[in-house]
Amino acid sequence: MASKDAQNQRSRGPPGFLPGASDPDHGLHILPSNPGDRVWQRGPPPPGNLPPGLEYLSQLDLIIIHQQVELLGMILGTETANKYEIKNSLGQRIYFAAEESICFNRTFCSTLRSCILKITDNSGQEVITVNRPLRCNSCWCPCYLQELEIQAPPGSIVGYVAQTWDPFLPKFTIQNANKEDILKIVGPCATCGCFGDVDFEVKTINEKLTIGKISKYWSGFVNDVFTNADNFGIHVPADLDVTVKAAMIGACFLFDFMFFEHSLAGL
């Protein structure tokens, strides 16, 4: 009986470790902080040849992205660089993303602006870089459409997110480093999201099977009208390749720029 209790105690593990970690010594430790501001600290990498910093993505089937409210931009009515917190399903921050762009581009190119999004872990180490060039965004212009380049780690290209021309639906393709198509993303005909979530379905190449979705969560009428803060959820199979998950995080940023950047567009 005593040995059984001891075994149960070991299976629970010490407090501060995320569920699913089989060995506390190799688990994922939560930095002690306020319950509403919990962060995740990277532990020793699991077996396998994963890009450094993306190990934790291999365990996730839900990634939450929360845009931070820029009070200065709200007060002055100016477009500031976007910042995002990337969290797991427990609300623990695993990454932080910050846009790097010049004021001229944000002012005059608005949602089409070129920029770089640098994603860092909780130790401040940059693990993903998302490059967005200046591109067109129109169903009437089938050339030079939106595209993102995903690097993980920075300097090593692992994939792309490319807009696909369609006269009726917003469509995108996730590609590998060789620009070979891996998955398709198909959005709704109307992305206004009036009083509800907006879902972009993640599909196989032939678009016959849906394997996940990227959702823009509706946060309420007041928040959507008077702030630019958007919340997204990425629902994917847990065993999906981590580089594809990194590309889907980049796709989420692209959707925010294209469809929800201005508060009234997010209703």
Side-chain angles (χ1 to χ4, degrees):
M1 185 68 177
S3 62
K4 186 175 182 180
D5 292 340
Q7 184 179 1
N8 291 337
Q9 181 64 30
R10 287 194 301 269
S11 66
R12 284 194 295 268
F17 286 85
L18 294 182
S22 57
D23 184 354
D25 292 335
H26 300 282
L28 307 173
H29 192 265
I30 305 170
L31 291 177
S33 57
N34 295 328
D37 191 28
R38 293 174 295 176
V39 296
W40 167 84
Q41 185 182 40
R42 185 173 63 193
N49 187 22
L50 300 180
L54 302 191
E55 300 90 354
Y56 188 50
L57 288 180
S58 64
Q59 306 177 38
L60 299 184
D61 59 2
L62 173 60
I63 303 169
I64 298 172
I65 297 180
H66 173 68
Q67 184 179 6
Q68 291 190 335
V69 178
E70 294 292 339
L71 295 179
L72 180 62
M74 291 174 56
I75 296 173
L76 300 180
T78 58
E79 189 64 56
T80 57
N82 290 349
K83 295 179 181 178
Y84 305 86
E85 283 189 311
I86 303 173
K87 304 177 180 180
N88 62 14
S89 59
L90 301 178
Q92 299 156 350
R93 191 182 73 192
I94 54 176
Y95 300 119
F96 181 79
E99 174 192 350
E100 290 187 356
S101 59
I102 61 176
C103 181
F104 178 89
N105 283 348
R106 294 195 301 272
T107 302
F108 295 100
C109 299
S110 188
T111 61
L112 297 178
R113 63 184 180 268
S114 62
C115 64
I116 297 175
L117 286 139
K118 294 189 175 182
I119 303 176
T120 57
D121 60 19
N122 289 316
S123 66
Q125 180 72 30
E126 185 178 350
V127 295
I128 304 172
T129 301
V130 180
N131 290 319
R132 186 199 187 198
L134 179 64
R135 293 261 183 159
C136 299
N137 177 24
S138 172
C139 63
W140 306 111
C141 182
C143 59
Y144 213 62
L145 296 176
Q146 292 293 306
E147 183 177 273
L148 295 182
E149 178 189 85
I150 313 297
Q151 301 177 7
S156 178
I157 298 175
V158 296
Y160 298 87
V161 179
Q163 184 181 10
T164 304
W165 183 81
D166 188 277
F168 304 109
L169 299 175
K171 291 188 176 183
F172 302 83
T173 302
I174 295 180
Q175 302 171 328
N176 62 15
N178 298 321
K179 289 201 169 185
E180 299 168 337
D181 294 352
I182 300 176
L183 294 171
K184 293 288 185 70
I185 302 177
V186 181
C189 181
T191 58
C192 62
C194 299
F195 310 106
D197 297 344
V198 179
D199 293 331
F200 294 79
E201 295 184 336
V202 181
K203 297 177 175 287
T204 53
I205 295 299
N206 58 14
E207 299 186 18
K208 292 183 178 180
L209 179 64
T210 300
I211 67 164
K213 65 180 180 178
I214 298 176
S215 299
K216 193 273 182 182
Y217 298 136
W218 183 64
S219 54
F221 180 81
V222 174
N223 285 339
D224 277 342
V225 171
F226 295 105
T227 73
N228 283 329
D230 295 317
N231 296 298
F232 295 87
I234 302 174
H235 304 258
V236 291
D239 59 353
L240 189 67
D241 189 281
V242 293
T243 59
V244 179
K245 291 181 181 179
M248 293 183 69
I249 292 175
C252 203
F253 297 147
L254 180 60
F255 298 162
D256 188 33
F257 280 112
M258 293 179 63
F259 306 113
F260 311 110
E261 178 75 11
H262 296 124
S263 57
L264 287 177
L267 283 180

